């Protein structure tokens, strides 16, 4: 039974840390594309939407995707897909993309906005930090609250003594012995 009260919060902590790593990696990739100084003119090959939700009472969320293609400085033709693009870009339009060179080209058609991405990163990491803090506080609280009952319910001896008169277990300082003359 104790396992569940430690395993579930530990799993939540692992998920929060994985989410934090994902957020940091995504922001660093975007920042690397923006700060590389490389730009190119890309053509929008396709624009489409995806929807999610809508079952029961949930709201529908629509995401606009664009597929872009451009020629990098080294002559390679790069094609990439990006979500949450502007609704004014349609198939056939030309846009400026920011990219970084390397084995894997990182490209984006989003305009540089490091302040907005920084604030979003801080908010996301703050939320995930609250999840970690709550999980740790839950485990510590559970550990402290279950310690007095450890000997009585789980069969471990935490220095409790058995009152010979009643058979109950108490911490050593709780037992009051009365002497009869």
């Amino acid at each position: 039974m104790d396992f569940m009260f430690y395993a579930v919060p530990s799993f939540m902590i692992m998920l929060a840390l994985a989410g934090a790593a994902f957020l940091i990696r995504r922001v660093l990739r975007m920042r690397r594309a923006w700060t590389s100084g490389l730009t190119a003119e890309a053509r929008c090959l396709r624009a489409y939407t995806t929807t999610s939700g809508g079952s029961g009472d949930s709201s529908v969320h629509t995401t606009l995707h664009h597929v872009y293609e451009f020629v990098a400085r080294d002559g390679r033709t790069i094609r990439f897909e990006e979500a949450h693009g502007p609704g004014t870009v349609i198939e056939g339009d030309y846009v400026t993309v920011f990219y970084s060179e390397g084995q894997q080209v990182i490209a984006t058609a989003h305009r540089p906005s490091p302040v907005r991405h920084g604030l979003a990163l801080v908010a996301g990491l703050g939320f995930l930090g609250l999840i970690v803090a709550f999980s740790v506080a839950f485990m510590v609280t559970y550990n402290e609250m279950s310690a007095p009952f450890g000997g009585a319910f789980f069969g471990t001896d935490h220095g409790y003594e058995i009152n010979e008169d009643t058979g109950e277990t108490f911490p050593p300082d709780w037992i009051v012995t009365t002497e009869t003359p």
Side-chain angles (χ1 to χ4, degrees):
M1 185 64 139
D2 280 342
F3 174 75
M4 183 172 53
F5 290 107
Y6 294 111
V8 172
S10 297
F11 182 69
M12 289 174 57
I13 290 171
M14 287 189 303
L15 286 179
L17 293 177
F22 174 77
L23 281 176
I24 292 169
R25 184 172 179 233
R26 187 175 72 180
V27 167
L28 290 177
R29 287 173 54 103
M30 292 289 282
R31 195 163 291 192
R32 189 175 339 146
W34 288 332
T35 60
S36 70
L38 300 174
T39 61
E41 186 176 60
R43 184 167 188 243
C44 178
L45 301 177
R46 183 170 180 229
Y48 65 96
T49 60
T50 58
T51 58
S52 61
S55 61
D57 283 342
S58 67
S59 62
V60 175
H61 178 73
T62 303
T63 304
L64 180 61
H65 299 266
H66 292 95
V67 178
Y68 299 106
E69 185 176 76
F70 69 97
V71 177
R73 185 170 65 171
D74 60 2
R76 291 186 289 171
T77 301
I78 308 294
R79 182 181 291 184
F80 70 98
E81 180 180 335
E82 190 168 51
H84 306 292
T88 56
V89 175
I90 58 173
E91 292 181 23
D93 284 353
Y94 287 92
V95 297
T96 301
V97 294
F98 302 87
Y99 71 99
S100 66
E101 287 185 319
Q103 186 70 0
Q104 181 182 1
V105 174
I106 299 168
T108 181
H110 292 292
R111 292 276 173 217
S113 56
V115 172
R116 190 180 89 200
H117 272 79
L119 291 175
L121 178 66
V122 167
L125 291 178
F127 176 72
L128 294 172
L130 284 175
I131 291 174
V132 170
F134 175 78
S135 298
V136 169
F138 177 82
M139 289 190 296
V140 168
T141 303
Y142 176 76
N143 187 41
E144 288 178 1
M145 292 189 69
S146 65
F149 304 110
F153 294 117
F154 303 113
T156 58
D157 183 18
H158 293 286
Y160 289 82
E161 296 180 8
I162 299 175
N163 185 339
E164 298 296 329
D165 297 332
T166 63
E168 297 179 17
T169 57
F170 294 100
D173 56 344
W174 284 18
I175 296 179
V176 178
T177 56
T178 56
E179 294 181 22
T180 55

